Amino acid sequence: MEITNINTFLDYYGKIRERTNRLIAVIPPEYMDWAYRPGKFTIADQIRHIAAIERYMFAETILGKPCSYSGCGKELADGYNEIIGYFNEKHEEALAILKKLSNDDLQRKCLTPANTPITVWKWLRAMTEHEIHHRAQLYIYLNLLDVKTPPMFGLSSEEIIQNSRLK
């Protein structure tokens, strides 16, 4: 689906972020440094990664600048409040850049970190897919830790079955 209107996209992307924020809000602070296996992203790494990629890869390349993503380690933010603050700060910085785009800008090309030209609207779509991908990983992490997670769209699978007319 082609993105042709920046304001419509920003509204959609805001809803994506609302779902991510609802999930992040249930993360117990004591689990921020947990990973399912040594050497894999921790919960905190996942959150920092979403933030840093959004700001330093997607937003920078849309501006015509080279990607400046340098990782998602503790040096960016350490501690529950600092991580959440970093996440929100980088999102606001990226939004400030995206809000300056015109509808015509959506049709121009930018260069990915692999130096591949891509239409800006397709790059924005990739940005949303990236966040959704990492949010799904956070759901799995939290389920492994027996943390109750919010349903994505208001009802859980069990509630949908319970309310189904096909009982």
Side-chain angles (χ1 to χ4, degrees):
M1 179 172 151
E2 185 174 351
I3 300 165
T4 58
N5 183 287
I6 189 61
N7 292 323
T8 302
F9 169 76
L10 290 170
D11 182 57
Y12 166 73
Y13 190 48
K15 291 175 179 139
I16 296 290
R17 182 49 60 101
E18 285 173 16
R19 289 191 284 278
T20 302
N21 284 336
R22 279 196 302 271
L23 179 63
I24 289 174
V26 303
I27 298 170
E30 65 269 21
Y31 288 141
M32 288 299 258
D33 290 325
W34 182 87
Y36 69 93
R37 185 168 65 204
K40 296 295 182 180
F41 276 6
T42 65
I43 288 173
D45 291 337
Q46 294 276 4
I47 296 167
R48 288 185 295 254
H49 177 72
I50 293 168
I53 283 286
E54 175 188 33
R55 175 59 187 89
Y56 297 116
M57 187 182 81
F58 287 104
E60 286 298 298
T61 56
I62 286 169
L63 287 173
K65 298 178 180 179
C67 171
S68 58
Y69 174 77
S70 62
C72 57
K74 287 185 175 191
E75 67 280 358
L76 299 175
D78 192 18
Y80 185 85
N81 291 331
E82 291 76 13
I83 293 163
I84 301 306
Y86 178 80
F87 182 75
N88 292 327
E89 175 184 305
K90 296 303 148 191
H91 180 63
E92 289 304 317
E93 289 175 12
L95 282 180
I97 291 165
L98 299 179
K99 287 176 181 177
K100 292 178 183 173
L101 294 175
S102 70
N103 293 339
D104 289 339
D105 285 329
L106 298 173
Q107 301 305 318
R108 69 175 167 74
K109 299 283 186 180
C110 62
L111 287 177
T112 70
N115 213 29
T116 304
I118 188 170
T119 307
V120 168
W121 74 261
K122 290 179 182 178
W123 196 231
L124 290 172
R125 185 177 62 191
M127 181 177 69
T128 62
E129 291 173 3
H130 177 265
E131 180 164 330
I132 292 165
H133 161 75
H134 286 288
R135 183 176 66 217
Q137 290 179 318
L138 287 169
Y139 266 102
I140 292 168
Y141 277 32
L142 294 172
N143 280 290
L144 289 169
L145 293 166
D146 290 323
V147 174
K148 183 170 174 33
T149 56
M152 182 105 50
F153 299 110
L155 295 175
S156 67
S157 174
E158 296 79 14
E159 290 168 328
I160 293 170
I161 292 168
Q162 183 180 16
N163 294 342
S164 177
R165 295 174 205 207
L166 301 174
K167 290 183 194 175

